[in-house]
Amino acid sequence: MKMRNYTPVTEFLLMGIPHTQGLEHALFVFFLTFYLLTLVGNLLILLAILTSSNLHTPMYFFLGNLSVFDIFFPSVSSPKMMLYLLGQSRTISYQGCACQLFFYHFLGCTECFLYTVMACDRFAAICHPLRYTVIMSPRVCAILTLSAWVGSSVHASVLTFLVFRLPYCGPTEVGNFFCDIPVVLPLACEDTSLAHRVSVTNVGVVALLCFLLVLTSYTRIAISILRISSSEGRHRAFSTCSAHLTSVLLFYGPVVLIYLQPASSPWLDSMVQVLNNIVTPSLNPLIYSLRNKDVKLALRKALIQGVHT
């Protein structure tokens, strides 16, 4: 087909969550509540890490990075969603849609890498405690974090280029509350098989490799914990990993459902995206602070100092 016969699309229409007509105000309260919880919770985690010298360790360095990305991750879709739930325009520009897709995959992939690095950090701390400070030196931590950012940027750039190099000439209805590959790609006017294969392969390979590394790390960790003679020592070792393992399961579950399910359901996809984009980032501060005495103590000291100041 010759593109001169078509008028290129300049904006898309976000259709929101299917089958929720009449629930706009309830959804607005839901999104706003979890968005505020995400911002406040992750900012408090950052405050605790930055103000407490006891938390200036590799584990909390990576946790601080995770909190930063958990602040930005829901910001990709939540503000626009809340605006049109209040009656504002549902349209999003072509460039805005591309930006949503890029930052969603950049931030999501970075979190995936960070979870993997944090698993390796726990492996080094429990399985090689005497060499831990050498293995996870500040230089190594900085290189791992920078590599996660750069690798995620390349990953997101490739996906965004493949999706938006295709011509879009209508329809313009995006069947979700933000722009992502599964809902944008079907709107293209040309064959999307290459972009579809590469995107599924790319996302699948990254998620699978990271998950296998996490699984390998925790298998070795479990073996090491079982070798600890005292029950108190086993409990202490397990407690340092339980929060991270819970976050990993919450992160990978939606990814598998969204990109690797054989049959797609618009309503289920939207619900899973809500869990992945909105709910999980708000739960991470609770997961990492409720059973972590160091974080709670540091946060209490920081808040007391702030009140006194």
Side-chain angles (χ1 to χ4, degrees):
M1 295 184 182
K2 296 181 179 180
M3 287 308 301
R4 64 170 180 264
N5 295 333
Y6 299 100
T7 302
V9 167
T10 58
E11 61 184 21
F12 293 94
L13 184 66
L14 298 173
M15 302 306 294
I17 302 173
H19 313 303
T20 56
Q21 290 77 12
L23 300 174
E24 287 79 8
H25 290 93
L27 286 174
F28 172 79
V29 173
F30 174 84
F31 273 77
L32 180 62
T33 300
F34 276 97
Y35 188 55
L36 292 178
L37 286 174
T38 299
L39 296 182
V40 173
N42 285 289
L43 285 174
L44 287 175
I45 292 288
L46 281 175
L47 176 66
I49 293 172
L50 292 174
T51 57
S52 175
S53 58
N54 293 333
L55 301 185
H56 293 174
T57 62
M59 181 176 75
Y60 294 108
F61 171 75
F62 296 127
L63 178 58
N65 277 271
L66 183 64
S67 293
V68 170
F69 284 96
D70 274 339
I71 290 172
F72 287 110
F73 194 49
S75 300
V76 172
S77 57
S78 292
K80 179 66 178 176
M81 174 74 167
M82 289 187 287
L83 281 175
Y84 69 68
L85 285 174
L86 288 177
Q88 301 296 317
S89 175
R90 289 176 175 264
T91 59
I92 183 171
S93 67
Y94 182 90
Q95 294 79 7
C97 189
C99 286
Q100 275 195 339
L101 191 147
F102 171 82
F103 283 108
Y104 175 73
H105 284 276
F106 167 66
L107 295 169
C109 186
T110 305
E111 286 207 28
C112 185
F113 287 150
L114 283 175
Y115 281 127
T116 306
V117 171
M118 291 170 76
C120 295
D121 170 72
R122 293 298 82 207
F123 165 74
I126 293 174
C127 300
H128 303 283
L130 299 179
R131 298 170 51 205
Y132 176 65
T133 55
V134 176
I135 296 173
M136 301 303 295
S137 65
R139 183 171 180 270
V140 171
C141 292
I143 291 174
L144 288 173
T145 305
L146 183 61
S147 299
W149 293 349
V150 173
S152 300
S153 179
V154 173
H155 166 82
S157 297
V158 170
L159 294 182
T160 306
F161 170 76
L162 285 173
V163 172
F164 285 94
R165 74 177 180 85
L166 296 168
Y168 291 87
C169 46
T172 61
E173 292 83 7
V174 175
N176 209 331
F177 60 93
F178 76 106
C179 293
D180 192 17
I181 297 172
V183 289
V184 172
L185 207 54
L187 305 179
C189 301
E190 290 187 359
D191 179 38
T192 62
S193 57
L194 174 63
H196 178 73
R197 284 197 304 269
V198 173
S199 62
V200 171
T201 303
N202 203 341
V203 173
V205 167
V206 169
L208 181 61
L209 287 178
C210 289
F211 183 75
L212 289 176
L213 286 172
V214 172
L215 185 62
T216 302
S217 297
Y218 273 102
T219 301
R220 296 289 302 276
I221 288 171
I223 295 172
S224 296
I225 290 176
L226 291 175
R227 289 175 179 172
I228 298 175
S229 57
S230 68
S231 59
E232 182 182 349
R234 287 195 298 269
H235 176 74
R236 191 185 306 115
F238 177 75
S239 64
T240 64
C241 303
S242 58
H244 176 253
L245 192 57
T246 303
S247 295
V248 167
L249 294 175
L250 286 174
F251 177 81
Y252 278 101
V255 172
V256 171
L257 287 174
I258 294 168
Y259 294 99
L260 302 182
Q261 60 177 326
S264 178
S265 166
W267 185 84
L268 177 61
D269 289 348
S270 295
M271 290 298 101
V272 173
Q273 292 282 20
V274 168
L275 174 65
N276 190 41
N277 293 21
I278 311 300
V279 179
T280 301
S282 69
L283 295 179
N284 277 340
L286 295 175
I287 293 170
Y288 281 101
S289 63
L290 283 178
R291 298 185 61 186
N292 193 312
K293 295 179 181 179
D294 293 334
V295 172
K296 288 191 286 189
L297 180 61
L299 187 57
R300 191 179 299 118
K301 287 182 178 179
L303 292 176
I304 291 173
Q305 283 182 335
V307 171
H308 288 168
T309 303

